[in-house]
Amino acid sequence: MIEAAKKLIEYAIFPPGSIIIAFLVISLFSTKKKFVFYLSLFCAVVLYLASISPVKNMLVSPLEQSYKIQKGSRAF
């Protein structure tokens, strides 16, 4: 139970969790301006989707496949 709470706090403090929480707070306090509400909510959702593994892999895999590894190349 304590480990789960620790993980939730860790994810909330470190990026992108803190940035997503900031966008959600902005969207909650901008009730009078609908544009700001929808824009901040959209940014939070896009940032969350870009940070999870399936979407990240889907975005990066075409870039990885387009470049071939040269023979004789060594890692640093």
Side-chain angles (χ1 to χ4, degrees):
M1 180 72 176
I2 294 175
E3 290 294 320
K6 233 174 165 180
K7 282 287 190 185
L8 286 174
I9 292 170
E10 182 179 318
Y11 288 139
I13 292 174
F14 294 117
S18 59
I19 299 170
I20 292 170
I21 290 173
F23 277 127
L24 292 176
V25 168
I26 290 170
S27 69
L28 290 175
F29 286 119
S30 64
T31 56
K32 292 183 180 179
K33 296 182 180 181
K34 293 292 184 184
F35 176 74
V36 175
F37 171 77
Y38 288 120
L39 180 65
S40 60
L41 197 61
F42 174 76
C43 289
V45 169
V46 167
L47 184 61
Y48 172 74
L49 288 176
S51 65
I52 60 175
S53 293
V55 177
K56 179 187 64 153
N57 292 339
M58 184 179 66
L59 293 173
V60 172
S61 66
L63 293 172
E64 290 176 343
Q65 293 173 358
S66 65
Y67 295 103
K68 305 274 190 237
I69 298 175
Q70 296 176 358
K71 290 185 179 181
S73 62
R74 297 183 343 187
F76 294 105

